[in-house]
Amino acid sequence: MDLTSPKEIRSVQSKFGFTFKKGLGQNFLTSHEVLDEIVRAAGQSDGILEIGPGFGTLTQSLAESAEKVVSIELDERLLPVLDYTLAEYDNVKIIHGDVMKTDLHSLIKTEFPDMSVSVAANLPYYITTPVITRLLEEKLPAKNIVVMVQKEVAERLAAREGTKDYGAITVLCRYYTEPEIVTVVPASMFVPPPKVDSAVLKMKVLPEPSVKVKDEKLFFKVVKASFAQRRKTLLNCLCAAFPIPKTEMTEILTNAVGNPSRRGETLSLDEFAKISDIIFERMDG
Ligand code: SAM
């Protein structure tokens, strides 16, 4: 069954009386090439955790190359559809649930014991950022996280310092992973077509965070505060977030990054780490 064919999608729709729910981000992929790119980017893993299988288009491709695929789908109406479209695959398990409410650590432990795991998903737009934030912050034991997201979101996640796209979410992504935009996918490659273009983003999970910090929570507090008001200087942003006198903060920033009037988007991860380590020592001491 070729689920990338719009004709086949219509036929499955009419067989099950299925109508797309915009609110659940139901835009199904219709390109073999893009499916192949996602599978390739996910790399050689024994297990794949998929989020939002829809009709099972990507699930089929993943099941061809991995030993086991576990897919979490929120929409109950899709369960009988997936039974039908994935009938040939005995290495796929569908879990009915909300990815945001699922304990992913224990799921991986139970479903993929002693297996290498990657995450692959054509994510619903309405929860892209919370899902990615969760996947990263929870430090899942995944090799690669490959997600199809809105193009602009992919650009923000993979941005370089000094660009307008660089922000707190970029630092989060680059702290835990090495991100790379694999391909851009025009809206016309989905049924129904969304309003925006998409991109496949591969995040290769690093064995250790890309910078060493004394206190991770404090590091991310510094990062968030530095981007909270983009037009303000680092000095003003950080003074608003920490109870440290301006003269002292000026000294901390001069030591850490040279000039306290810089803007957050010009700072490398190393520089954020330096600032947070100095603040940590001051608060500790
Ligand atoms: N994987 C399919 C494809 O590539 O064609 C469908 C992707 S579609 C963009 C997103 C899917 O995620 C839909 O099937 C939708 O029902 C499901 N979904 C939406 N919110 C979800 C949630 N919170 N947890 C799990 N799945 C969800």
Side-chain angles (χ1 to χ4, degrees):
M1 192 184 311
D2 178 8
L3 291 168
T4 60
S5 139
K7 201 173 148 219
E8 192 71 58
I9 293 176
R10 275 195 302 275
S11 139
V12 174
Q13 266 193 286
S14 75
K15 185 173 169 68
F16 290 89
F18 184 86
T19 48
F20 296 108
K21 262 194 193 157
K22 210 173 151 198
L24 287 180
Q26 289 177 339
N27 306 98
F28 296 172
L29 188 58
T30 61
S31 158
H32 272 295
E33 288 73 27
V34 177
L35 288 175
D36 291 346
E37 297 257 29
I38 296 174
V39 172
R40 207 173 312 129
Q44 269 309 315
S45 295
D46 308 329
I48 299 278
L49 172 63
E50 188 198 11
I51 301 161
F55 276 4
T57 323
L58 175 59
T59 325
Q60 287 185 342
S61 298
L62 294 167
E64 303 279 348
S65 78
E67 208 174 294
K68 180 175 179 183
V69 180
V70 174
S71 306
I72 306 173
E73 174 57 59
L74 177 62
D75 189 348
E76 199 174 6
R77 301 172 309 149
L78 286 168
L79 303 181
V81 179
L82 289 161
D83 270 347
Y84 170 71
T85 59
L86 299 170
E88 275 175 39
Y89 299 87
D90 57 7
N91 59 342
V92 176
K93 177 168 175 179
I94 303 294
I95 293 181
H96 177 219
D98 181 342
V99 65
M100 290 306 289
K101 294 185 185 148
T102 306
D103 179 344
L104 298 175
H105 268 287
S106 77
L107 184 149
I108 289 178
K109 224 170 158 184
T110 321
E111 297 294 341
F112 304 108
D114 302 319
M115 292 166 91
S116 60
V117 180
S118 285
V119 177
N122 174 8
L123 283 178
Y125 293 130
Y126 77 106
I127 43 163
T128 304
T129 309
V131 170
I132 293 179
T133 305
R134 222 193 125 197
L135 293 175
L136 296 173
E137 283 181 346
E138 287 197 2
K139 303 182 188 187
L140 291 183
K143 265 172 70 175
N144 296 307
I145 300 173
V146 183
V147 286
M148 171 100 71
V149 293
Q150 189 179 328
K151 183 170 155 268
E152 287 70 22
V153 175
E155 285 167 351
R156 251 182 273 144
L157 284 157
R160 288 276 169 203
E161 72 218 41
T163 64
K164 69 167 181 18
D165 289 329
Y166 187 71
I169 187 104
T170 319
V171 176
L172 177 72
C173 179
R174 287 196 176 277
Y175 182 76
Y176 291 113
T177 76
E178 201 182 292
E180 175 202 347
I181 293 181
V182 174
T183 186
V184 170
V185 186
S188 59
M189 287 192 178
F190 297 87
V191 169
K195 288 206 173 73
V196 290
D197 290 337
S198 297
V200 175
L201 180 78
K202 172 179 178 173
M203 291 173 277
K204 182 171 176 244
V205 179
L206 300 168
E208 294 293 331
S210 58
V211 288
K212 217 171 147 40
V213 293
K214 293 200 158 78
D215 182 324
E216 218 163 66
K217 242 178 150 180
L218 181 64
F219 171 76
F220 284 112
K221 186 174 174 191
V222 167
V223 171
K224 256 194 199 139
S226 304
F227 288 106
Q229 291 157 296
R230 281 206 172 235
R231 286 206 209 113
K232 287 200 174 172
T233 63
L234 203 51
L235 178 63
N236 286 334
C237 286
L238 293 183
C239 279
F242 292 93
I244 296 177
K246 206 163 186 169
T247 46
E248 208 179 319
M249 189 61 93
T250 305
E251 201 181 313
I252 291 175
L253 294 178
T254 309
N255 284 338
V257 300
N259 179 358
S261 304
R262 287 171 66 180
R263 301 290 194 275
E265 62 262 32
T266 69
L267 263 60
S268 66
L269 267 70
D270 273 322
E271 290 177 311
F272 281 119
K274 265 190 209 155
I275 297 172
S276 92
D277 281 356
I278 299 179
I279 294 179
F280 175 81
E281 266 157 21
R282 179 201 177 272
M283 297 199 330
D284 204 37

